[in-house]
Amino acid sequence: MLGGHNSFDKRVQLIERAHRRAPKGRGQIVGPDGLLVVRKRRSAPAISPRGVLYLLFGFILFKSIALAQFGESGYMERINGLQSGTLVEKAGALVMQPDRFSIGLAKQIAPFIR
């Protein structure tokens, strides 16, 4: 009888140690035999697609506001000034090139800015 009690205590100690060692990314799942099994949880993606869309929309909105504020010729003067600068400024000029979405949105919001 005493031997059975010692083996049970040893199993409890092993389970408690596993629980202490398990990082936050782990969860308990009931297995098909009814025992709790510690398994790794599926993590959410680091970058959500919704966040990327919000970021893209915000950037296009920023370009549209700048385009509506400066006008097309003034905006292109600033872009051309960036193209003759450093490597980072050239990359910024490439990204800030007007596209059809930002031009269309700038035409829509221009009456509200001026």
Side-chain angles (χ1 to χ4, degrees):
M1 181 72 183
L2 193 57
H5 185 68
N6 287 338
S7 66
F8 177 75
D9 285 340
K10 189 181 281 188
R11 288 194 316 248
V12 169
Q13 286 176 355
L14 288 173
I15 290 171
E16 287 174 349
R17 187 174 353 148
H19 284 231
R20 283 191 304 269
R21 286 183 180 175
K24 292 183 180 178
R26 303 230 177 219
Q28 296 175 351
I29 300 171
V30 178
D33 55 358
L35 295 176
L36 290 176
V37 181
V38 178
R39 293 231 173 108
K40 197 174 193 177
R41 288 186 188 155
R42 195 179 331 175
S43 62
I47 300 173
S48 70
R50 184 183 303 170
V52 172
L53 286 176
Y54 285 151
L55 186 66
L56 184 64
F57 179 72
F59 184 70
I60 290 174
L61 183 65
F62 171 75
K63 283 182 12 177
S64 300
I65 291 172
L67 190 58
Q69 180 71 31
F70 301 130
E72 195 165 343
S73 61
Y75 186 78
M76 288 310 295
E77 285 177 17
R78 286 173 169 78
I79 296 295
N80 291 335
L82 286 174
Q83 287 176 342
S84 62
T86 65
L87 184 64
V88 174
E89 290 173 339
K90 288 179 184 179
L94 181 66
V95 172
M96 293 298 289
Q97 289 291 326
D99 52 55
R100 62 181 171 171
F101 297 117
S102 56
I103 292 172
L105 191 58
K107 288 179 183 177
Q108 295 291 323
I109 62 175
F112 300 108
I113 292 180
R114 293 185 181 162

